[in-house]
Amino acid sequence: TGEPKKENDSFEYEVENNVEYIVRGNKPFDGAGLIDISLAKVWAGELGLDYVPSAFQFRAIPGIKGNVYVLDFDKFSKEFDKSTISDAWGKDKEVYNEDGTLAINVILTKSQYKFYDYLNFDDWKNEFETERYGYKRTFNVSKISDKFENIKDSVLLSYQPLQSLNLDINQIKVLCNHTIETIKNISTDVNEFLKYRGLLDCDENDKGEKRQNIVVPSYYKALQKNPEQIFTDKYIQGKVQADIKKFKENTYKGAVLVSGNYQTLMPDIFALAQTAFGIEPTGLLNADEIYSKYWVTKMVPEIDIIRCPHIANEHAVTKVVNVDSDYYQYASEGIITSIHSLIPQKLNSADFDGDHILTNSSRVLIEAYKKQPSNTIIYVPVKKNNTTQSTTYKINDMKKAIDTDIKGMSNSIGKVVNQITKLWSLEQTTETLNYIKIMSVIGSLTIDFVKTGEKAAIPKVITNFLDEVKKPDFMRIIYPKQDRDEKDINIDKRINTQAEITLFGNTDCTMNRIYYYMKEELNKIKFKKDKNDFDYKILMNNPNPNLAGNKTYP
């Protein structure tokens, strides 16, 4: 809970642990709508796609945005004998035209209509259809779900979800083994390196279908044409070594490979259809279940769901179930959640307007999470005299708009996350864990400032607590200048026979353990250099150019 001491001052926070809290006004479809399969096929054709995405993220100016998810309206309407839909203003709409074709092929929700309190739909429609400055407004698709065949099988973690778990050295060895083997392979085999860079076997999959375009530097495309010859070139070898060095350094800060990927966070679209058609929603999933075509196909029984910025152990470990329903048949990409679950709250107030979440099947992460207290953090602002303190400004108040922008852009989530990382590097006492939870709330308020206008400062009790605490050692990779400064200072100290200093802390925490282990293991791997001479003529159309008579080649 948070309460301001006085206007424009930082909040005082109180943490209530292990409290059963009833969440009122839960929004299991926040940011989500539906699109009929017939129209989804039209949109896919207009976008030049060879598949129908399971979701389209769209914008419709003024003030409508979100994701629409594909469902068969005709099947649902006939199965549940629903021929009308009541809209948000209480008007009944016919589902079918007189000729039996669908009259409704997109259903948007109030959460997607940002001007609901200010602009009725007829006025909005008039604005939408009025040409302005020679421009006619349209529904604009800004993002689409990936094709099922293009969903990746491995994903890189980051340090935030790792630092919130207590991993011992044996767990770290298992977790990091795949990454170490990958770096070993790409350091000694040019073909493995080309696979790592997405060059080999990337143009077509095993069905002969084109994969997604991957941005690759031209010199690597040349390497792909003739790896045996071009790999011997010093320039190419320098580029390869630089890439591998960067990969290694990223692993020191938690970028390790696990089986998994990013997918769209989806609501239960069957429950959304029930709600839209005036049926009491039941959904097809229990509270502790998700549906994912990808994970069902992999026959994985349980996954770990992570959403950035991950701050306070917000892992959501959930069962994967196969739902025998045609209503999920178009959800080829995405993680469908239950209307009975609190996964959105667990994932730091996620919603369904296009949020992407990291899903993985790492047994190390899942088992470590189960041994620790689970966090679902709810922020409850304290009301003064039963009223909320807020001020409304006109949208054309340019001075206030600029002032809000300045405040919003000056907010630094990085500063908040750094303090949280310091807290995770310490012994996890009740006091430390409470501070982490408070900082989780401050992180959310910092990100959402431009929406809420609520600027959150880090309480002085936490800044004072962390005043003498150094960043953990692994953050040397994130702050290389500070690392260099430490080295330079200590050179001077040694010359003057003074005690050396350290700007980072070697505390015994998960991320430091990973950092020390990966440095030790990756230092054993040596890059395989090729001593053969590079033949610059290998890719020339004319292998015998007249060098003497041509000014270009010299």
Side-chain angles (χ1 to χ4, degrees):
T1 55
E3 181 178 0
K5 288 180 287 187
K6 59 184 180 181
E7 190 177 357
N8 298 325
D9 201 353
S10 62
F11 280 55
E12 289 182 340
Y13 295 89
E14 179 184 350
V15 177
E16 297 176 271
N17 286 305
N18 305 316
V19 174
E20 186 176 281
Y21 186 81
I22 297 174
V23 179
R24 303 193 184 279
N26 196 28
K27 296 179 179 179
F29 315 119
D30 193 13
L34 296 171
I35 180 171
D36 179 62
I37 179 60
S38 62
L39 184 61
K41 288 178 179 177
V42 173
W43 284 13
E46 291 178 352
L47 291 167
L49 304 174
D50 62 353
Y51 72 105
V52 178
S54 57
F56 299 83
Q57 187 183 73
F58 75 94
R59 301 288 186 267
I61 296 171
I64 299 184
K65 63 185 281 286
N67 261 29
V68 284
Y69 299 92
V70 182
L71 193 93
D72 189 334
F73 288 15
D74 183 55
K75 174 180 169 57
F76 190 94
S77 175
K78 289 175 178 173
E79 181 175 336
F80 294 95
D81 194 24
K82 290 289 182 178
S83 59
T84 61
I85 291 181
S86 180
D87 71 12
W89 293 269
K91 295 180 181 179
D92 285 343
K93 305 287 185 180
E94 294 293 329
V95 175
Y96 294 97
N97 297 311
E98 290 183 1
D99 62 359
T101 58
L102 281 172
I104 296 172
N105 50 23
V106 171
I107 298 173
L108 306 181
T109 53
K110 283 171 65 175
S111 65
Q112 296 177 304
Y113 186 41
K114 304 307 177 184
F115 292 162
Y116 178 80
D117 292 330
Y118 310 103
L119 200 64
N120 67 49
F121 190 75
D122 290 334
D123 289 341
W124 179 89
K125 192 168 183 290
N126 181 61
E127 285 295 325
F128 182 75
E129 293 175 347
T130 300
E131 189 173 295
R132 303 279 184 188
Y133 306 103
Y135 174 74
K136 191 177 188 310
R137 296 185 175 104
T138 66
F139 267 64
N140 299 290
V141 173
S142 55
K143 191 186 296 181
I144 55 174
S145 292
D146 288 337
K147 192 174 184 177
F148 180 76
E149 291 78 10
N150 290 333
I151 299 175
K152 297 183 183 300
D153 291 325
S154 61
V155 65
L156 285 170
L157 295 175
S158 61
Y159 68 87
Q160 285 95 345
L162 288 172
Q163 70 185 1
S164 63
L165 297 174
N166 182 21
L167 303 180
D168 62 33
I169 190 61
N170 291 323
Q171 291 170 307
I172 288 169
K173 286 179 180 179
V174 174
L175 178 68
C176 296
N177 182 63
H178 177 39
T179 308
I180 292 169
E181 289 301 311
T182 298
I183 292 174
K184 190 181 297 181
N185 290 337
I186 67 175
S187 299
T188 56
D189 186 329
V190 63
N191 289 319
E192 289 298 319
F193 177 80
L194 289 171
K195 284 181 185 178
Y196 159 69
R197 284 299 314 208
L199 279 158
L200 286 187
D201 301 324
C202 71
D203 296 329
E204 293 182 349
N205 62 22
D206 55 5
K207 296 180 181 177
E209 297 168 324
K210 291 289 183 184
R211 293 182 186 269
Q212 290 176 309
N213 291 328
I214 300 171
V215 178
V216 177
S218 296
Y219 45 82
Y220 286 150
K221 291 179 182 177
L223 179 59
Q224 179 191 20
K225 296 291 183 184
N226 197 314
E228 291 77 15
Q229 284 286 337
I230 296 178
F231 190 63
T232 63
D233 178 49
K234 290 180 181 178
Y235 177 82
I236 291 290
Q237 291 212 338
K239 289 293 184 182
V240 171
Q241 288 185 69
D243 262 11
I244 294 173
K245 180 184 177 185
K246 185 177 180 181
F247 188 5
K248 286 181 177 180
E249 289 179 347
N250 283 336
T251 68
Y252 301 152
K253 57 181 181 181
V256 295
L257 290 161
V258 291
S259 295
N261 45 61
Y262 280 92
Q263 292 191 55
T264 307
L265 180 65
M266 291 179 61
D268 187 335
I269 51 180
F270 176 76
L272 177 51
Q274 288 178 306
T275 306
F277 281 82
I279 303 169
E280 184 69 23
T282 57
L284 297 174
L285 295 164
N286 294 319
D288 60 345
E289 297 173 343
I290 64 97
Y291 170 81
S292 161
K293 180 181 177 180
Y294 175 87
W295 289 112
V296 166
T297 303
K298 294 285 185 183
M299 294 187 289
V300 170
E302 193 175 39
I303 59 169
D304 174 28
I305 305 174
I306 299 167
R307 176 175 175 260
C308 297
H310 181 104
I311 292 173
N313 195 21
E314 299 105 339
H315 292 266
V317 173
T318 315
K319 293 178 187 175
V320 178
V321 296
N322 189 9
V323 178
D324 184 19
S325 171
D326 289 341
Y327 293 111
Y328 288 174
Q329 66 176 304
Y330 303 112
S332 56
E333 185 270 359
I335 306 296
I336 295 181
T337 57
S338 169
I339 61 170
H340 309 291
S341 81
L342 290 176
I343 285 178
Q345 285 80 5
K346 177 80 174 169
L347 299 177
N348 211 337
S349 300
D351 54 28
F352 303 102
D353 64 359
D355 285 6
H356 273 64
I357 51 176
L358 188 156
T359 61
N360 73 89
S361 58
S362 168
R363 295 313 305 173
V364 169
L365 300 189
I366 290 171
E367 296 305 324
Y369 166 78
K370 288 180 177 180
K371 292 178 181 177
Q372 294 181 214
S374 172
N375 281 339
T376 300
I377 298 170
I378 304 294
Y379 169 51
V380 186
V382 175
K383 294 182 179 180
K384 287 282 190 179
N385 302 321
N386 293 321
T387 61
T388 52
Q389 297 177 345
S390 63
T391 307
T392 303
Y393 298 95
K394 290 182 180 292
I395 197 169
N396 61 353
D397 184 341
M398 193 54 63
K399 185 178 184 301
K400 181 53 64 176
I402 292 171
D403 182 56
T404 302
D405 265 359
I406 290 170
K407 287 179 179 177
M409 297 301 287
S410 66
N411 275 359
S412 174
I413 186 62
K415 291 178 181 177
V416 177
V417 169
N418 282 347
Q419 299 295 70
I420 292 164
T421 297
K422 285 183 180 182
L423 288 166
W424 278 118
S425 72
L426 304 174
E427 182 185 355
Q428 298 307 292
T429 63
T430 300
E431 180 184 30
T432 305
L433 290 170
N434 283 347
Y435 287 163
I436 288 170
K437 291 166 187 172
I438 292 170
M439 292 297 288
S440 173
V441 169
I442 291 169
S444 296
L445 293 174
T446 300
I447 292 169
D448 290 341
F449 169 77
V450 290
K451 290 192 288 185
T452 64
E454 195 170 304
K455 190 173 175 71
I458 299 173
K460 288 182 180 178
V461 65
I462 296 180
T463 56
N464 291 340
F465 178 77
L466 292 172
D467 191 41
E468 299 299 320
V469 177
K470 297 170 183 174
K471 296 186 184 78
D473 257 348
F474 85 91
M475 295 191 85
R476 293 175 184 276
I477 305 300
I478 301 171
Y479 295 96
K481 184 182 182 302
Q482 198 169 339
D483 184 43
R484 290 193 300 270
D485 288 346
E486 181 190 274
K487 290 182 175 68
D488 292 342
I489 291 169
N490 284 332
I491 289 171
D492 208 40
K493 294 279 186 185
R494 284 194 292 273
I495 292 172
N496 293 290
T497 62
Q498 295 175 333
E500 296 185 19
I501 62 149
T502 176
L503 301 180
F504 296 87
N506 61 352
T507 51
D508 183 26
C509 61
T510 291
M511 275 311 305
N512 273 353
R513 291 177 208 140
I514 291 174
Y515 172 65
Y516 301 140
Y517 176 72
M518 291 301 285
K519 287 207 78 171
E520 180 182 358
E521 291 301 308
L522 296 185
N523 281 338
K524 300 174 185 176
I525 300 172
K526 303 303 178 185
F527 178 73
K528 181 184 176 183
K529 295 183 179 180
D530 200 313
K531 297 181 179 179
N532 295 324
D533 291 330
F534 169 63
D535 181 2
Y536 69 90
K537 296 182 290 184
I538 195 69
L539 292 180
M540 286 184 177
N541 290 328
N542 177 10
N544 298 302
N546 179 12
L547 300 185
N550 191 308
K551 294 182 179 180
T552 303
Y553 287 108

